[in-house]
Amino acid sequence: MQHRFKCRAKLTTGQYLTLEAGSLELQGQLVAGRDLTLKAQHTIDIRDSVTAPFVAQAERNLTVQGNQSIDILVFNHPKAALQSGGNLNLISNGNISGNTHFLSGGDITVSTNKGDISLNGSLISSVSSYSTTGNGGDITVSTNKGDISLNGSLDSSVNSYSTTGNGGDITVSTNKGDISLDGSLISLVFSYYGISRNGGNITVSTTNGSLSNRSSLISFSTSLRNSGNGANITLSTTNGNLSNQGIVYSFSSAQENSGNGGDIILSTTNGNLSNQSNLYSLSYSVTGNSGNGGDIAFKAQNGDILGNGSSLYTFSGPQGTARNSGPVSLEAQNQLSALTSNTAEGGTVSIVGQGDLAIADLVIQTSKPVTLNTGVTGSITIPSDRTGRSGDVRISSIGNLTLTNSRIQSDTKGSDSLGNITFTSSGLVTLNQSQILSSTISTGTARNIGIHTGDFSLLNGSSINSSTSASG
């Protein structure tokens, strides 16, 4: 016999509070001075109303465990219906539906073994203080077998007037199921007058399923003095398509010295990769020295890459001593289209085709000066007098290699040399309505343009040009 416990009352204790039954139907208010545990062998259903908002609040840890399912539909609390000073856990072997906001002073875990997860609210684990702070909590949403749908913010941020801790890591994963993100995933570290530490890693992965992202993904360390590193952002699926429509930032930004931008990786082994938004990995200093831009990689080993007019930026700048841009690597089976890659000092670009690779509407720029608007820091200009050579461009394919309506440009108005541009194919290399340019109008040196192939063809106004127009 299933024992069902219904609670519509206000229960408050300065110690531990535990409600356990076959099933729980909860309304009202539950407040514990220490841990609060809600546990059911079968289902947990939580509801509220405009006149009686639900709240479950623990000074320390809050655990909601419904072995068959958890169903929460409460949006009438002015802040967050489920709150914990420590860790906040939702655990099940079935479906988890969370239509509410969650607020935690520790880690947040939403986990099920065999079931779907649908969250239509914010999961916030943040730290704010006038003095030195600790770390933001990690946020984990995972199922072994089921779909994940997130329609709200996952936020692990740290704010302080003094030195901060690190932003927490954010992980969303399923072994067998689709993932859909629509909102924002943020690990932000901000200090007004002290040192900001590192932003947290953001990882979204499915082994067998598709991944669709419409969220903003942001790992950001910023300070009015010195900042730490932006962390890595990874979207991956092994067997399925990957679609990204959300803007992606991994930043370090500071008034004085900034850290490194993190790596940004989008990958699928057996599927197509579609990107429709810009990606930024930057280190930006207003008056001091900046770190390195991070790596940016698109990998579709047995599929195609569709850029849909999007751009990839990895930079270091603009004042003081700037380090290198990170490398950009693109790997596809047969098709790569409508993508722009922008790097400056040392930022190599590598494209690998696993078959007959057709490249269309591609722009690669490893040049200075460069101006971009990130939407976060405003307009940034990498000046032409910055030291460091432009990065190399290497494009290779196992089979034929065709570039259509594409442009590869490595130029500088500064004193350092340009990067090499190299094409390698065991078959035919064809340039169709495409231009390859390596030029300098100052003291820098133009570099080699190499084509290693058995056959080569220039069609429809295509050109290759390496030139100097000053003392280079």
Side-chain angles (χ1 to χ4, degrees):
M1 178 179 178
Q2 177 180 334
H3 297 283
R4 183 178 297 272
F5 179 80
K6 297 181 179 181
C7 178
R8 294 179 174 85
K10 179 178 180 179
L11 302 178
T12 301
T13 176
Q15 300 296 314
Y16 299 91
L17 176 58
T18 299
L19 301 182
E20 183 172 358
S23 293
L24 292 176
E25 293 182 7
L26 303 176
Q27 297 183 35
Q29 298 182 21
L30 307 172
V31 179
R34 294 192 176 182
D35 295 346
L36 172 58
T37 302
L38 309 175
K39 186 175 182 180
Q41 295 300 316
H42 300 284
T43 62
I44 293 180
D45 296 292
I46 302 176
R47 297 293 186 269
D48 72 352
S49 64
V50 175
T51 56
F54 175 84
V55 62
Q57 181 177 322
E59 189 69 22
R60 299 200 310 194
N61 299 325
L62 170 57
T63 300
V64 181
Q65 181 176 341
N67 289 344
Q68 289 187 355
S69 68
I70 298 172
D71 188 1
I72 304 172
L73 181 56
V74 287
F75 272 119
N76 292 298
H77 194 279
K79 293 179 66 176
L82 279 76
Q83 304 177 27
S84 69
N87 297 331
L88 195 159
N89 303 297
L90 272 65
I91 304 169
S92 181
N93 285 319
N95 295 334
I96 298 177
S97 176
N99 294 282
T100 191
H101 301 302
F102 303 84
L103 180 62
S104 171
D107 298 338
I108 298 178
T109 300
V110 181
S111 177
T112 179
N113 184 41
K114 293 186 297 182
D116 299 334
I117 297 176
S118 176
L119 301 177
N120 295 288
S122 298
L123 278 68
I124 301 173
S125 177
S126 62
V127 180
S128 296
S129 175
Y130 283 92
S131 59
T132 300
T133 65
N135 299 324
D138 295 337
I139 300 176
T140 303
V141 179
S142 66
T143 175
N144 184 49
K145 185 178 181 181
D147 299 334
I148 297 176
S149 176
L150 303 182
N151 295 286
S153 298
L154 274 61
D155 186 347
S156 179
S157 297
V158 181
N159 298 279
S160 175
Y161 280 83
S162 184
T163 299
T164 71
N166 299 310
D169 294 337
I170 299 175
T171 304
V172 180
S173 66
T174 177
N175 184 51
K176 187 175 183 180
D178 300 332
I179 295 178
S180 176
L181 307 179
D182 196 346
S184 59
L185 278 65
I186 302 172
S187 183
L188 170 66
V189 181
F190 175 67
S191 172
Y192 284 91
Y193 304 117
I195 297 173
S196 63
R197 302 299 184 188
N198 304 321
N201 296 315
I202 298 175
T203 305
V204 182
S205 64
T206 174
T207 303
N208 298 287
S210 63
L211 193 164
S212 176
N213 176 57
R214 292 174 296 276
S215 298
S216 298
L217 308 178
I218 301 172
S219 180
F220 198 1
S221 176
T222 182
S223 173
L224 296 181
R225 290 187 60 195
N226 301 320
S227 61
N229 302 319
N232 299 331
I233 300 175
T234 304
L235 302 177
S236 68
T237 175
T238 302
N239 300 303
N241 295 325
L242 190 159
S243 173
N244 176 56
Q245 300 177 48
I247 198 164
V248 181
Y249 292 101
S250 182
F251 261 47
S252 177
S253 174
Q255 185 73 24
E256 297 179 8
N257 300 317
S258 60
N260 301 318
D263 298 342
I264 300 174
I265 300 173
L266 276 62
S267 69
T268 174
T269 303
N270 299 302
N272 296 323
L273 191 162
S274 175
N275 185 66
Q276 299 183 44
S277 190
N278 295 342
L279 279 63
Y280 301 87
S281 179
L282 304 178
S283 176
Y284 173 71
S285 167
V286 177
T287 62
N289 301 323
S290 58
N292 298 308
D295 300 0
I296 296 180
F298 281 9
K299 300 178 182 180
Q301 183 176 339
N302 297 308
D304 299 328
I305 296 176
L306 308 176
N308 301 290
S310 61
S311 296
L312 314 178
Y313 298 93
T314 171
F315 284 108
S316 172
Q319 303 299 328
T321 299
R323 296 186 180 179
N324 293 324
S325 302
V328 173
S329 58
L330 310 171
E331 179 182 357
Q333 176 74 18
N334 297 118
Q335 182 181 355
L336 192 158
S337 66
L339 192 65
T340 298
S341 171
N342 296 270
T343 65
E345 293 92 353
T348 62
V349 178
S350 173
I351 299 176
V352 176
Q354 298 295 340
D356 292 330
L357 182 61
I359 299 173
D361 304 312
L362 175 72
V363 177
I364 297 176
Q365 181 173 335
T366 62
S367 309
K368 296 174 289 185
V370 175
T371 299
L372 67 151
N373 194 317
T374 67
V376 174
T377 61
S379 180
I380 297 175
T381 298
I382 311 298
S384 60
D385 60 356
R386 184 58 47 85
T387 60
R389 66 186 292 268
S390 298
D392 295 336
V393 178
R394 297 186 292 268
I395 302 178
S396 65
S397 180
I398 293 174
N400 297 326
L401 177 60
T402 303
L403 274 73
T404 302
N405 193 34
S406 297
R407 185 178 81 252
I408 299 174
Q409 181 176 345
S410 178
D411 58 37
T412 185
K413 300 176 180 64
S415 60
D416 289 285
S417 61
L418 303 173
N420 297 309
I421 301 174
T422 306
F423 298 88
T424 304
S425 170
S426 59
L428 171 65
V429 174
T430 302
L431 302 185
N432 182 19
Q433 295 179 313
S434 297
Q435 285 73 45
I436 313 301
L437 174 66
S438 174
S439 65
T440 178
I441 61 173
S442 186
T443 57
T445 303
R447 306 287 289 190
N448 298 325
I449 299 177
I451 301 174
H452 307 283
T453 181
D455 295 292
F456 179 67
S457 178
L458 285 174
L459 303 176
N460 300 317
S462 296
S463 63
I464 300 174
N465 184 20
S466 178
S467 65
T468 61
S469 55
S471 59

